[in-house]
Amino acid sequence: MFGLMMERPLLISSLIDYAAKYHGRSEIVSRTVEGRIHRYNWADAQARAKRLANALQRLGIRPGDRVATLAWNTHRHLELYYGISGMGAISHTINPRLASDQLRYIMNHAEDALLFVDLTFVPIVEALMAELKTIRHVVVMTDEASMPAQTALRAPLCYETLLAGESPSFEWPTFDEKTASSLCYTSGTTGNPKGALFSHRSTMLHAYFMCMADFVAIARSDSVCPVVPMFHVNAWGVPYAVAMAGAKLVLPGPKLDGASLHDLFESEGVTLNLGVPTVWLGLLRYLDETGKRFSSLQRTLCGGSAMPETMIRALEERYDVRVTHGWGMTEMSPVGTVSALLPEQRALPKEQQYAFQAKQGRPMFNVELKIVDENGVALPHDGVSRGELLVRGPWVIREYYKDEAASRVAFDNEGWFRTGDIATIDEYGFMQIVDRQKDLIKSGGEWISSIDIENIAIAHPDIAEAAAIGLPHPRWGERPLLVVVPKPGRHPSKVEILSLIAERVAKWQVPDDVLFVDELPHTATGKVMKRSLRDRFGDFTWPAA
């Protein structure tokens, strides 16, 4: 027997309609690529998204077609999120920081029919245009006055002119909530990038839990700034969750330096921001150099890679900003866990709370986690046992888009997704990433966590960033090498760093050497490229080898 309830599909178009109707005056503030600050509200955004949907139809876009974007976090990109998915097509956000061969592969593999591009990224498209097989039109996301005077693009269209010629009246179609809504590709650190094809249902469920109290808890009273790019897993779903909450949305555009972000946070009363630790490195450096503080910022959600405990302490103790860790993957829409503390942890002394905040957190409702050994046997949740982390849930992919080979190895025989992370889970359900499988260091038959070493090293007051990598060793198979970026004007010594690490880990886990560099290589999503470091220092000679 079924319940006698109305069947209303969960569709992305309902989000912007709700925001426009009940929170229509809530502001959307955007720093544009042209440099201006653009202001309007959710009602205005809905009208322009409908103009866009009409324009897409006139350009021949049909339900199921992929429409690509190469764009920053701006109001125009927000309109694309809703206009494309709302009319039944698939919003395909592309990371412009990827290598040209990856961009070419992604657009051809997705068979994109249309490409929207910010002025910043026009040269990228010009270099690739001849090899993009399916794209029929390129739309430059600007006004007529700012259109490039000379370009190798074939008859580019102007975004503002395109919208000006359309009606703000559009009837969003109704269809099955399982219909594909958006497509995001992994950064492709090994092999070709892989596509995660999200549905309207999975996106809506994810948005619900981004608003859930005791997790990210986006609320109507918030002013939210997603520094995480809208080209990276849909900015962690924030543009959808903010519409659901009816909150103010602040979009930083292309200016992500510490000074620009601080100015935007202050001028727009930002209460919540979301981003990766490298963003906070720049912000903290700016605050330390200028002596400035935050007048409105209350909390931050940090993901992408682990935020060191020292950075958590700095934000909370010096700047009164509450830090919450989040963890997920492109394949998970992406948020799976959040380190919001339980009442039991909030009752603990602050020193003990930090240990829980440094973990990646507890799963949101309907996300299941397990850790397994090398034979696939489930391990206990005791906070000590380390195993491969597997996940499943309603916003986790069941296979990759048009990639059977990758799909075959990505899931176990019960349909759990293999994350490639090594983790522990404690008795409270707090999960902590110990390392990526590919980054673990095996020395003399024993495993060493690169993340453990890095977190200790970053606690040194003179170190900005650190990466531990395993390199071949004639006796032990592999030994850890620590690569360090000092803070500007600081000169930490090897002896100081290794002594600090020796106080916290077993003797055999201490790196054999420390190298100092000006900067670490990062992926397009802000993670340290350890494979690049291993290649760079592959012929390194150990001091005592």
Side-chain angles (χ1 to χ4, degrees), residues 13 52 90 169 171 230 374 394 438 474 480 500:
S13 56
L52 175 65
I90 298 170
S169 297
E171 192 70 29
M230 292 172 72
E374 61 271 16
K438 61 188 178 183
L500 178 66

Side-chain angles (χ1 to χ4, degrees), residues 228 232 236 275-277 301-307 325-328 523 525-528:
V228 56
H232 180 48
W236 300 348
V276 298
L301 180 74
C302 185
S305 59
M307 178 180 278
H325 253 134
W327 171 85
T523 68
T525 55
K527 298 177 183 178
V528 175

Side-chain angles (χ1 to χ4, degrees), residues 73-387:
N73 293 19
T74 68
H75 67 289
R76 294 181 181 118
H77 206 175
L78 181 74
E79 293 157 10
L80 288 165
Y81 266 45
Y82 285 100
I84 296 168
S85 298
M87 58 89 68
I90 298 170
S91 169
H92 177 201
T93 54
I94 302 173
N95 189 336
R97 297 169 179 162
L98 294 174
S100 59
D101 59 336
Q102 291 179 317
L103 293 171
R104 184 188 309 108
Y105 172 83
I106 286 171
M107 283 185 264
N108 286 332
H109 185 263
E111 299 179 282
D112 293 319
L114 201 62
L115 172 61
F116 287 81
V117 58
D118 264 335
L119 285 167
T120 314
F121 307 122
V122 166
I124 294 175
V125 180
E126 289 175 326
L128 293 173
M129 200 67 225
E131 300 171 273
L132 302 180
K133 303 173 183 177
T134 57
I135 289 175
R136 302 195 295 265
H137 299 284
V138 175
V139 182
V140 181
M141 296 166 65
T142 190
D143 51 33
E144 285 289 352
S146 303
M147 283 290 285
Q150 294 183 330
T151 177
L153 299 178
R154 297 190 300 269
L157 302 174
C158 173
Y159 184 89
E160 292 298 334
T161 302
L162 195 67
L163 265 62
E166 302 295 340
S167 167
S169 297
F170 183 87
E171 192 70 29
W172 300 119
T174 299
F175 40 75
D176 194 307
E177 65 184 21
K178 296 177 184 177
T179 300
S181 65
S182 48
L183 177 62
C184 297
Y185 279 74
T186 64
S187 56
T189 54
T190 55
N192 286 323
K194 298 179 285 289
L197 185 61
F198 308 141
S199 68
H200 283 257
R201 178 178 184 270
S202 68
T203 302
M204 291 286 286
L205 291 175
H206 186 271
Y208 275 117
F209 289 101
M210 290 289 282
C211 296
M212 187 174 176
D214 291 329
F215 285 94
V216 184
I218 295 173
R220 170 67 181 83
S221 57
D222 276 317
S223 175
V224 184
C225 181
V227 182
V228 56
M230 292 172 72
F231 55 69
H232 180 48
V233 206
N234 294 332
W236 300 348
V238 174
Y240 304 118
V242 173
M244 182 175 283
K248 178 177 179 177
L249 181 61
V250 180
L251 300 169
K255 298 186 72 172
L256 305 180
D257 59 281
S260 297
L261 288 176
H262 181 266
D263 177 67
L264 194 63
F265 291 179
E266 291 298 292
S267 62
E268 301 306 327
V270 170
T271 59
L272 167 65
N273 92 314
L274 305 93
V276 298
T278 49
V279 168
W280 273 110
L281 278 175
L283 260 171
L284 283 172
R285 185 178 299 125
Y286 174 75
L287 296 175
D288 291 344
E289 291 171 351
T290 62
K292 293 185 177 181
R293 302 185 61 81
F294 297 113
S295 61
S296 62
L297 189 63
Q298 301 167 0
R299 63 198 199 278
T300 181
L301 180 74
C302 185
S305 59
M307 178 180 278
E309 188 175 316
T310 52
M311 192 180 292
I312 297 174
R313 288 174 178 270
L315 283 166
E316 298 212 357
E317 295 174 6
R318 283 160 37 200
Y319 298 106
D320 199 28
V321 176
R322 182 78 178 177
V323 177
T324 303
H325 253 134
W327 171 85
M329 304 179 73
T330 301
E331 294 88 344
M332 298 175 66
S333 301
V335 182
T337 68
V338 177
S339 67
L341 301 185
L342 298 168
E344 300 96 304
Q345 282 91 49
R346 293 190 184 278
L348 295 171
K350 192 62 182 175
E351 288 295 315
Q352 295 179 42
Q353 290 185 33
Y354 284 134
F356 284 98
Q357 285 177 258
K359 296 186 177 187
Q360 278 60 58
R362 302 171 68 246
M364 294 197 286
F365 174 71
N366 257 352
V367 174
E368 297 179 76
L369 310 178
K370 70 175 179 178
I371 50 173
V372 299
D373 64 16
E374 61 271 16
N375 297 314
V377 177
L379 296 171
H381 294 185
D382 55 14
V384 177
S385 301
R386 299 181 173 195

Side-chain angles (χ1 to χ4, degrees), residues 194 327 329 331-332 370 372-377 388-392 396-397 400 406-421 436-437:
K194 298 179 285 289
W327 171 85
M329 304 179 73
E331 294 88 344
M332 298 175 66
K370 70 175 179 178
V372 299
D373 64 16
E374 61 271 16
N375 297 314
V377 177
E388 183 186 4
L389 179 65
L390 278 69
V391 299
R392 67 181 179 186
V396 181
I397 64 166
Y400 285 110
S407 298
R408 278 195 299 271
V409 299
F411 300 86
D412 74 358
N413 56 13
E414 296 179 340
W416 290 72
F417 176 72
R418 301 181 185 277
T419 68
D421 285 323
R436 291 290 291 168
Q437 274 185 319

Side-chain angles (χ1 to χ4, degrees), residues 317-523:
E317 295 174 6
R318 283 160 37 200
Y319 298 106
D320 199 28
V321 176
R322 182 78 178 177
V323 177
T324 303
H325 253 134
W327 171 85
M329 304 179 73
T330 301
E331 294 88 344
M332 298 175 66
S333 301
V335 182
T337 68
V338 177
S339 67
L341 301 185
L342 298 168
E344 300 96 304
Q345 282 91 49
R346 293 190 184 278
L348 295 171
K350 192 62 182 175
E351 288 295 315
Q352 295 179 42
Q353 290 185 33
Y354 284 134
F356 284 98
Q357 285 177 258
K359 296 186 177 187
Q360 278 60 58
R362 302 171 68 246
M364 294 197 286
F365 174 71
N366 257 352
V367 174
E368 297 179 76
L369 310 178
K370 70 175 179 178
I371 50 173
V372 299
D373 64 16
E374 61 271 16
N375 297 314
V377 177
L379 296 171
H381 294 185
D382 55 14
V384 177
S385 301
R386 299 181 173 195
E388 183 186 4
L389 179 65
L390 278 69
V391 299
R392 67 181 179 186
W395 57 78
V396 181
I397 64 166
R398 69 169 185 266
E399 62 183 89
Y400 285 110
Y401 179 61
K402 296 197 305 184
D403 197 332
E404 293 182 8
S407 298
R408 278 195 299 271
V409 299
F411 300 86
D412 74 358
N413 56 13
E414 296 179 340
W416 290 72
F417 176 72
R418 301 181 185 277
T419 68
D421 285 323
I422 304 298
T424 65
I425 303 175
D426 69 19
E427 60 184 304
Y428 299 103
F430 278 81
M431 183 271 292
Q432 184 165 24
I433 301 296
V434 176
D435 219 332
R436 291 290 291 168
Q437 274 185 319
K438 61 188 178 183
D439 292 331
L440 280 169
I441 302 164
K442 194 167 190 180
S443 179
E446 299 288 346
W447 292 109
I448 300 173
S449 166
S450 65
I451 292 178
D452 286 349
I453 295 171
E454 291 159 4
N455 285 341
I456 298 169
I458 293 171
H460 192 290
D462 295 338
I463 293 178
E465 277 193 286
I469 57 173
L471 293 179
H473 189 280
R475 181 178 180 185
W476 301 110
E478 274 190 329
R479 288 296 297 156
L481 173 71
L482 185 64
V483 185
V484 166
V485 179
K487 289 182 178 177
R490 306 288 184 87
H491 304 282
S493 73
K494 290 184 184 182
V495 173
E496 290 175 351
I497 296 168
L498 295 177
S499 296
L500 178 66
I501 296 171
E503 293 173 3
R504 301 278 298 275
V505 302
K507 182 179 179 180
W508 57 271
Q509 295 174 315
V510 178
D512 281 9
D513 206 353
V514 179
L515 294 181
F516 297 96
V517 297
D518 293 333
E519 62 180 1
L520 295 177
H522 291 88
T523 68

